[in-house]
Structures are given as structure tokens and as C-alpha cells.
């Protein structure tokens, strides 16, 4: 979506007695107490609480008890099965804390050190010249490129069946990192796939078996498992659905057969047991759990807010520990306020539900007497669309820089403006005044300078999420036809094992990758942006004008090199 740059009551039941607390018992008591707080929570989820809508299941935890649990919407739209506290959800990246816990267990067993080089256990990983430690993998400071982005760049669809072997093969082909290990923080799912490999090598058990024996069974988490084969039958599973442009929901398949960064299935009841273990230490011990919540550090000593599969921070004066997740249309979050012994668990199967924001909204309700006043965040006032002279729009057409390499391009289509942000799709805008234009896809607006007739706006301000971001008009040098011709050709990446084809179609530079064609939007000298999965692309050209390589940077994969080659891609060219 546009502007990603601003830039988942059972009062009597105690977690200390695992046999007592279960997803089913939570379900049967979910609506037994509806006080003002519970009614306020229900209101937050009202838009998803319809039988023809997917939704969520929530659990509010206080002092080792589930004080409120409720399901909203349908777990399966085809058969009209409702979401209940017994529903089993794919947790996406919430899975990472369990993989991290397994690593810490092995460290406490004396079978590995967090400062070991991962190649000690995964020798097939390329030797990058500097060791990558297990600790760096836990904290996303390893520099290893992200597996999902690599797979997409290699031509995979994320609804293809993806196995551990598929991911491993691609990771072992990588000969470059995003950065020197320990220099930066950059979220990478690959690190947790490598950690799952470490668990298997050290323990002799695959991750699903190890965590079942060492974590799930001791905690009584009988509805929880890592799924390493996507077709496995899961009783009471909630299926994921994404809202489409026409407002209808569509089923979104999830075919991961790989574990470590994702693929854990669980219920809110089981996750309540897991959450309480952070206070009791029944499994692993309190020392291990404290170590797991220690923030990572970079090579320069700077502390980051990420620990082992957990984000550690503050909210309105109170300490928080949390992690969210999102795969297909599953959206999940576990938010803990450790000093208040209070947590919120949200497991959703509606892609348009934001569990992180809603978790904090629930905390606002239950902890309102303890939270510091929230900083006012200005919201866009409702304004009706107005009709303006289309000639006025000419003053705003052009390219505006938000930050180096990120451009918002404004064009005109008959009687309205159209914006396109770097690497994103185009969206129409509607006028609410002669200088202010809004988008329908997200709550954002752009306010341009008021200029004299015939003039051109030089500045604008983007208002989104309470932020006011300045935009400055720039002139992007459009490559001449001769320069465009120099870019044409076939480019091969040994790290992906694929060929990209760069060609000109009707005067527009295009790139064909294994899943289709994308047009390239110039953003600087030899630099272009385009849509997913490529993002930003820069050609490497010599002084004589010949271009022999291109580098791709899509955020979680940086400086991925493609060399020009005479090799033709498989199948007919998309140009001509």
C-alpha cells in the first residue's frame, strides 16, 4: 500500500495448574462476564464480529489468569465455522520466540554457546570472511539476506509449497551479506531458519520434535505444534482471508513446509500458558528467560530494541515485551507488560486487522489508570470531495523527494491527480481543496504550495499517521533513448540461479523476471524503482556508456548483483 515509509473471562482458572486451563474451558466461559472493559474490547472488533467476515480470537491475561477471552467472526467462511478460543491459528513470526527459546535451552544444556560461529553447526553456509554468531542470528544483526525476499526474486510465489530444503538451497547459494555481521539491525527470517538447523544438528531432533518434548508437553500446550508439512490436518484450524478491492474477502493459501521463523500453530489458551512461564520459569528457568529478553547490541556498542524473538520497549511509561506476525492473511501479536503481569494475545485470520494496534488499544482499556497520558496524534479531519478546475492540477504534476531514493511522483489523469511512490503502485487522489488531495486506500493527504496561475508547486507536505513529512520537488533526469538501449540485455544472478531480461517496450524500460514484467521508474542516474519483489535497481555502467551489471535492493536484500550475459532466459523474450 501507499506510503509504507512512515516508515499482527476465565477469571477462576490459574495457569499454575496446566491441566485446568485449556482452550476449551476458555471458550465455554468466554462471554460469562461482560463489564464495561469487555464491552469496550468487543467494540474494537465489531467490524469483524459478523458471521460472513473472518476475524480474531483474543485473550486478556492478568496475574496468571485469563480474565477475558472471545472469538469474533468466522474461522471458516465456506462452512460458517465461528472463531472461538479453541480455534487454532498459524502464528507467523510470533513463532520466532519459540525457536529462540529452543536455542537458549541448548545453551543452558551446555551444548552450544550463543557466540559460536553458526558455520560450526551449518558448514554448508558460505564463509563470508567474518563469523556470524548464533547471537547475531537471534537479534537480526547477522546481515544474512531474507529468505522470503530471495525466494520472490528467484521467481517463487509465496503460495508455492516451500520446504526447508528449498530455503536451505537458496541460502547456501548466497555469497554476499547485506552488511558486516553485527554492524546493523535488519530483520531477516533466514536467521531463524538457520537457528532451526542448529537445533537439529545439536540436539539430533528436528525443531518440531525438540520443542514438543522440551516446551509444549511440559507446559501442557496440547494444541500447539510446528508444522513442517503444509498439508497436515489441523483440527479446529482457522483459515486466512484477505479483503479485496471490491470489499469481499478471499481465501489466501499458506503452503509453508518450513519451520523456524514461522509455521507454529497454537491457540490463545496455550499461549496463555507460554506467557505465564515468563513469570514462573517452570520450563527453562527464570535465568534463561531473563537472558532471552536481553536486548541485542551492535559492534559499536549501540543497544537495539530486539532480543531473542522479542521486541523490548516502552508504552506510555510502562515496559513492554512483544512480537507480531503476518503470513498469508494471518495476523498475530502477543503483548506483555511484565511489571503489571498483564498481557494481550490476538490471533487473527483477517488480513485487514492490525493486531499490534489493537493490542495496545486493549491495554489502554485495562491499564488506563497506570498509563501516562498519550501524546495527541492529529487525525485527518473528514472533508468532502470538491471539484476544481483541472488546469490547476498542472501546477502539482512532477516528482517530489521524501528522502534520497524515495520519490512520490504526481501525474494527471483527466480531472484528477494520480500518485505513485517508489516501488509501489499508482493510486488516484481526490481533491478536498484547491491545494489538498487525499487517497482512498489509506488515510493520507498531500498539501501542495499555493502557487500563482501558471506556476509550479515546489514543495508539499505529506500528512499520515500523525506525521507531517516535507516533500521537495526535484528534477529527475530521464535517460535518453541511447542510454536506455545501453541497459538492455540479459542479466544473470549466480546467487539466485535466474536470468532477468531488461528491454524497452513503447519507450519504457522494463524488466522481465521469472514471474512477469515490471516497468522501471527512473529515480536518479542509472537508478530505477519498480514494484515487488525488485524494489530499487541500479545499473553499473562504465565511462564508455556500456552497462555490464545491475544491483537490486528491495529492503531486506541489498546489493544483489546480476551480471550481463549472452545467455538467453528460458522461453520467449517479453519484449518486441
Amino acid at each position: 500500500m501507499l506510503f509504507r515509509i512512515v516508515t499482527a473471562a476465565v477469571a477462576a482458572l490459574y495457569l499454575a495448574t496446566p491441566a485446568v486451563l485449556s482452550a476449551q474451558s476458555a471458550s465455554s466461559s468466554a462471554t460469562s462476564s461482560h463489564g464495561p472493559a469487555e464491552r469496550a474490547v468487543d467494540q474494537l472488533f465489531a467490524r469483524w464480529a459478523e458471521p460472513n467476515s473472518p476475524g480474531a480470537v483474543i485473550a486478556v491475561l492478568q496475574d496468571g489468569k485469563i480474565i477475558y477471552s472471545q472469538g469474533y467472526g468466522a474461522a471458516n467462511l465456506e462452512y460458517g465455522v465461528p472463531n472461538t478460543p479453541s480455534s487454532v491459528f498459524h502464528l507467523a513470526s510470533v513463532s520466532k520466540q519459540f525457536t529462540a527459546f529452543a536455542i537458549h535451552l541448548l545453551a543452558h544444556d551446555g551444548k552450544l554457546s550463543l557466540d559460536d560461529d553458526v558455520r560450526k553447526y551449518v558448514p554448508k553456509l558460505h564463509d563470508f570472511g567474518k563469523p556470524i554468531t548464533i547471537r547475531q542470528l537471534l537479534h537480526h544483526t547477522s546481515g544474512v539476506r531474507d529468505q522470503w525476499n530471495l525466494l520472490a526474486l528467484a521467481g517463487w510465489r509465496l503460495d508455492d509449497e516451500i520446504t526447508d530444503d528449498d530455503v536451505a538451497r537458496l541460502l547456501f547459494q548466497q555469497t554476499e551479506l547485506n552488511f558486516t555481521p553485527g554492524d546493523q539491525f535488519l530483520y531477516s527470517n533466514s536467521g531463524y531458519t538457520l537457528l532451526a538447523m542448529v537445533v537439529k544438528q545439536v540436539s539430533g531432533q528436528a525443531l518440531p520434535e525438540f520443542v514438543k518434548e522440551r516446551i509444549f508437553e511440559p507446559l501442557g500446550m496440547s494444541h500447539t505444534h510446528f508444522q513442517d508439512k503444509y498439508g497436515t490436518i489441523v483440527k479446529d484450524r482457522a483459515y486466512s482471508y484477505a479483503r479485496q478491492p471490491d470489499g469481499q474477502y478471499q481465501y489466501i493459501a499458506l503452503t509453508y513446509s518450513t519451520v523456524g521463523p514461522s509455521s507454529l500453530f497454537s491457540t490463545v489458551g496455550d499461549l496463555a500458558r507460554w506467557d505465564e512461564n515468563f513469570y514462573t520459569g517452570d520450563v527453562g528457568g527464570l535465568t534463561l528467560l531473563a537472558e532471552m529478553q536481553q536486548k541485542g547490541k551492535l559492534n559499536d556498542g549501540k543497544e537495539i530494541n530486539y532480543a531473542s524473538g522479542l521486541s523490548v520497549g516502552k508504552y506510555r511509561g510502562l515496559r513492554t515485551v512483544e512480537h507480531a506476525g503476518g503470513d498469508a492473511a494471518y495476523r498475530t501479536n502477543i503483548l506483555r507488560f511484565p511489571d503489571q503481569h498483564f498481557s494481550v494475545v490476538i490471533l487473527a485470520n483477517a488480513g485487514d486487522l492490525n493486531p499490534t494496534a489493537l493490542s495496545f488499544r486493549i491495554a489502554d482499556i485495562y491499564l488506563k489508570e497506570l498509563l501516562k497520558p498519550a501524546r495527541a496524534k492529529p487525525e485527518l479531519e473528514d472533508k468532502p470531495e470538491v471539484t476544481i478546475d483541472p488546469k490547476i492540477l498542472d501546477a502539482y504534476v512532477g516528482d517530489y523527494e521524501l528522502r534520497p531514493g524515495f520519490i512520490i511522483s504526481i501525474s494527471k489523469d483527466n480531472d484528477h491527480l494520480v500518485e505513485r511512490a517508489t516501488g509501489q503502485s499508482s493510486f488516484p487522489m481526490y481533491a478536498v481543496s484547491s491545494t489538498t488531495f487525499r487517497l482512498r486506500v489509506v488515510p493520507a493527504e498531500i498539501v501542495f504550495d499555493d502557487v500563482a496561475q501558471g506556476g509550479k508547486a515546489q514543495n508539499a507536505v505529506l500528512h499520515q499517521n500523525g506525521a507531517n513529512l516535507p516533500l521537495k520537488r526535484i528534477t529527475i533526469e530521464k535517460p535518453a533513448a541511447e542510454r536506455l538501449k545501453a541497459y538492455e540485455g540479459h542479466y544473470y544472478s549466480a546467487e539466485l540461479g535466474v536470468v532477468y531480461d531488461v528491454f524497452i517496450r513503447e519507450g519504457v524500460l522494463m524488466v522481465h523476471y521469472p514471474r512477469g514484467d515490471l516497468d522501471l521508474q527512473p529515480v536518479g542516474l542509472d537508478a530505477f524503482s519498480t514494484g515487488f519483489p525488485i524494489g530499487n535497481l541500479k545499473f553499473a555502467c562504465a565511462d564508455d556508456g556500456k552497462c555490464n551489471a545491475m544491483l537490486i535492493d528491495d529492503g531486506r536484500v541489498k546489493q544483489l548483483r546480476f551480471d550481463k550475459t549472452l545467455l538467453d532466459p528460458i522461453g520467449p523474450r517479453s519484449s518486441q
Side-chain angles (χ1 to χ4, degrees):
M1 296 295 285
L2 174 70
F3 306 144
R4 292 189 299 266
I5 39 79
V6 179
T7 303
V10 192
L13 301 180
Y14 286 80
L15 298 178
T17 312
V20 176
L21 181 64
S22 68
Q24 185 58 47
S25 63
S27 174
S28 62
S29 303
T31 59
S32 61
S33 176
H34 265 69
E38 290 71 34
R39 288 194 294 271
V41 171
D42 290 347
Q43 188 59 40
L44 294 177
F45 292 86
R47 61 180 289 194
W48 296 281
E50 301 295 331
N52 60 347
S53 170
V57 176
I58 63 104
V60 182
L61 317 176
Q62 178 72 68
D63 297 329
K65 307 172 187 177
I66 298 179
I67 59 172
Y68 188 57
S69 186
Q70 184 63 278
Y72 307 94
N76 185 295
L77 290 175
E78 288 87 344
Y79 296 100
V81 178
N83 275 321
T84 75
S86 298
S87 299
V88 179
F89 289 78
H90 169 95
L91 300 192
S93 287
V94 170
S95 309
K96 288 182 173 67
Q97 58 195 276
F98 293 86
T99 302
F101 192 85
I103 290 290
H104 281 274
L105 284 172
L106 290 170
H108 274 248
D109 290 345
K111 294 183 177 180
L112 60 80
S113 166
L114 298 187
D115 295 311
D116 285 341
D117 185 343
V118 66
R119 294 187 70 249
K120 178 178 179 180
Y121 310 105
V122 189
K124 289 185 178 181
L125 187 67
H126 182 73
D127 184 352
F128 296 102
K130 291 191 176 181
I132 295 172
T133 67
I134 290 173
R135 192 184 305 274
Q136 288 166 343
L137 295 173
L138 287 167
H139 295 155
H140 298 298
T141 59
S142 69
V144 176
R145 292 164 170 164
D146 188 87
Q147 64 191 50
W148 304 128
N149 296 55
L150 289 171
L151 285 163
L153 287 164
W156 290 72
R157 292 192 178 100
L158 296 186
D159 54 2
D160 294 332
E161 181 181 3
I162 299 170
T163 68
D164 284 330
D165 287 342
D166 296 326
V167 176
R169 187 177 303 111
L170 196 52
L171 292 183
F172 296 160
Q173 289 173 193
Q174 302 303 300
T175 58
E176 300 291 340
L177 297 170
N178 284 333
F179 50 82
T180 299
D183 273 4
Q184 301 177 36
F185 168 85
L186 182 61
Y187 196 89
S188 174
N189 287 282
S190 305
Y192 277 76
T193 291
L194 293 170
L195 290 172
M197 295 179 192
V198 172
V199 171
K200 184 175 183 179
Q201 179 64 28
V202 173
S203 71
Q205 294 177 292
L207 180 66
E209 288 71 40
F210 181 85
V211 295
K212 178 182 179 182
E213 178 182 308
R214 296 290 301 273
I215 303 173
F216 303 150
E217 289 181 347
L219 288 177
M221 298 173 67
S222 57
H223 305 282
T224 303
H225 73 282
F226 266 112
Q227 182 155 306
D228 55 6
K229 181 62 179 176
Y230 86 94
T232 302
I233 302 299
V234 180
K235 182 175 169 53
D236 296 325
R237 180 205 304 246
Y239 289 83
S240 74
Y241 302 91
R243 190 183 290 276
Q244 302 304 298
D246 63 1
Q248 301 301 306
Y249 282 100
Q250 176 179 306
Y251 165 67
I252 304 297
L254 184 63
T255 53
Y256 293 172
S257 294
T258 180
V259 298
S262 186
S263 298
L264 188 70
F265 284 72
S266 192
T267 64
V268 293
D270 274 12
L271 292 174
R273 300 175 185 277
W274 167 253
D275 180 81
E276 182 62 9
N277 190 59
F278 279 82
Y279 300 98
T280 66
D282 288 343
V283 174
L286 291 176
T287 299
L288 181 156
L289 287 157
E291 292 171 356
M292 187 172 161
Q293 297 174 79
Q294 290 177 356
K295 297 178 181 180
K297 289 186 178 180
L298 301 179
N299 291 334
D300 62 5
K302 180 182 178 181
E303 190 175 67
I304 61 174
N305 289 329
Y306 200 90
S308 299
L310 298 166
S311 294
V312 181
K314 279 193 171 184
Y315 175 68
R316 294 178 61 182
L318 303 182
R319 289 197 308 130
T320 60
V321 180
E322 66 162 331
H323 207 289
D327 284 331
Y330 291 106
R331 302 291 183 265
T332 60
N333 195 50
I334 300 178
L335 169 63
R336 182 181 309 113
F337 289 80
D339 298 332
Q340 287 68 43
H341 205 151
F342 176 87
S343 299
V344 178
V345 180
I346 298 181
L347 306 180
N349 64 333
D352 57 338
L353 186 150
N354 185 334
T356 301
L358 288 166
S359 295
F360 284 102
R361 294 284 300 278
I362 292 173
D364 289 342
I365 294 169
Y366 284 90
L367 302 179
K368 62 182 179 180
E369 301 300 329
L370 303 175
L371 293 166
K372 290 183 178 179
R375 208 167 28 174
K377 181 182 286 189
E379 297 184 359
L380 296 180
E381 179 186 351
D382 287 336
K383 293 181 181 178
E385 182 175 359
V386 299
T387 300
I388 63 175
D389 185 344
K391 293 180 181 179
I392 295 176
L393 305 181
D394 295 333
Y396 310 132
V397 172
D399 298 305
Y400 298 81
E401 185 178 64
L402 179 63
R403 64 169 185 261
F406 195 96
I407 311 299
I408 295 177
S409 297
I410 305 296
S411 59
K412 178 181 173 182
D413 182 10
N414 295 322
D415 60 352
H416 65 271
L417 293 179
V418 176
E419 70 73 38
R420 180 180 178 182
T422 295
Q424 301 180 31
S425 300
S426 297
F427 294 99
M429 307 181 76
Y430 67 94
V432 294
S433 79
S434 61
T435 59
T436 304
F437 299 81
R438 291 188 175 178
L439 292 106
R440 302 186 192 278
V441 291
V442 292
E445 72 176 17
I446 295 178
V447 181
F448 296 94
D449 288 345
D450 193 359
V451 296
Q453 186 174 2
K456 293 285 186 181
Q458 298 302 309
N459 300 283
V461 178
L462 164 64
H463 299 286
Q464 185 180 11
N465 294 336
N468 305 315
L469 304 173
L471 302 172
K472 183 176 181 60
R473 180 187 287 272
I474 61 172
T475 300
I476 297 175
E477 184 178 349
K478 309 292 183 183
E482 182 179 348
R483 190 64 166 181
L484 291 181
K485 290 292 291 184
Y487 302 139
E488 283 195 301
H490 310 306
Y491 294 80
Y492 176 69
S493 166
E495 293 177 287
L496 297 183
V498 297
V499 173
Y500 281 19
D501 192 20
V502 177
F503 60 95
I504 300 170
R505 177 190 290 161
E506 298 179 354
V508 177
L509 194 68
M510 308 283 293
V511 59
H512 174 79
Y513 78 109
R515 288 296 188 182
D517 297 345
L518 295 168
D519 64 295
L520 296 174
Q521 178 186 17
V523 294
L525 180 63
D526 298 328
F528 298 81
S529 72
T530 189
F532 181 83
I534 294 174
N536 296 298
L537 183 155
K538 186 174 179 64
F539 291 96
C541 304
D543 292 340
D544 62 5
K546 293 183 179 179
C547 303
N548 59 11
M550 65 183 187
L551 300 171
I552 285 176
D553 181 346
D554 72 355
R556 292 184 180 176
V557 172
K558 296 181 179 295
Q559 300 298 299
L560 179 65
R561 185 180 179 90
F562 287 70
D563 290 298
K564 187 174 279 191
T565 176
L566 297 177
L567 177 67
D568 276 327
I570 298 174
R573 287 187 64 183
S574 297
S575 58
Q576 314 306 334

